[in-house]
């Protein structure tokens, strides 16, 4: 079994009893994979991005247990160590695990984006959240202007929300 599949299996166990969160990370993973492939990522880059998409919200449960809430900054902070542990448990190399843990700790942070993996994770998570949270077209338009950078992410956003074409 490949490591992405192992991570998915582990996260399903981690999120047992939380169907919304299981479906959320599976959708984010799928968007990460799609955008990553469209943007030309291959091999290790794509695997790292896919793993990040799978584990990006691992901090929700510990945040809720500790603080009774899981807003972005708390979720980011509380997810770093569980992500490291899960990734090490499936044999991910230390440097790769550290990068993914960093991405987990910054997946709601729009500034300082230092790589295509971070950029695509931001876009993929937003694409899923925009639908799950029934965001307004104006909020989606602002997000596109603020932080969407990949051509594939923008195309996918416009495919989901054709009204953006008229809003511009």
């Amino acid at each position: 079994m490949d490591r992405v599949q192992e991570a998915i299996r582990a996260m399903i166990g981690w999120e047992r009893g939380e169907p919304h969160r299981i479906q959320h990370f599976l959708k984010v993973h799928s968007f990460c994979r799609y955008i990553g492939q469209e943007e030309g990522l291959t091999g290790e880059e794509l695997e790292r991005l896919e793993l990040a998409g799978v584990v990006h919200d691992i901090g929700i449960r510990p945040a809720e247990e500790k603080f009774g809430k899981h807003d972005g900054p708390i979720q980011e902070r509380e997810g770093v160590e569980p992500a490291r542990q899960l990734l090490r448990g499936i044999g991910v190399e230390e440097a790769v695990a550290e990068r993914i843990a960093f991405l987990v700790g910054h997946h709601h942070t729009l500034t300082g984006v230092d790589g295509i993996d971070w950029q695509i994770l931001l876009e993929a998570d937003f694409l899923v959240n925009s639908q799950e949270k029934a965001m307004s077209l104006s909020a989606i338009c602002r997000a596109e202007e603020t932080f969407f950078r990949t051509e594939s992410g923008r195309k996918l956003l416009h495919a989901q929300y054709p009204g953006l074409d008229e809003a511009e």
Side-chain angles (χ1 to χ4, degrees), residues 11-106:
M11 280 300 294
I12 289 170
W14 178 266
E15 296 293 6
R16 182 176 170 81
E18 297 290 343
H20 172 78
R21 294 203 305 242
I22 291 169
Q23 291 177 34
H24 176 82
F25 84 72
L26 287 170
K27 289 187 277 187
V28 172
H29 162 259
S30 181
F31 280 129
C32 282
R33 180 175 173 77
Y34 175 78
I35 296 170
Q37 288 178 328
E38 289 292 302
E39 293 295 317
L41 275 63
T42 59
E44 292 174 5
E45 272 186 319
L46 187 59
E47 182 190 51
R48 184 177 63 231
L49 174 61
E50 287 188 61
L51 287 167
V54 171
V55 302
H56 77 283
D57 275 346
I58 198 169
I60 291 176
R61 194 178 82 199
E64 288 179 344
E65 289 170 357
K66 286 183 182 178
F67 305 106
K69 60 183 180 176
H70 65 268
D71 59 53
I74 294 171
Q75 180 190 136
E76 287 177 329
R77 186 176 64 244
E78 295 302 314
V80 172
E81 192 53 38
R84 279 188 188 119
Q85 291 175 12
L86 184 147
L87 295 164
R88 288 176 184 148
I90 62 170
V92 174
E93 298 81 11
E94 191 65 27
V96 175
E98 283 305 309
R99 177 60 180 178
I100 296 167
F102 173 85
L103 294 173
V104 168
H106 292 83

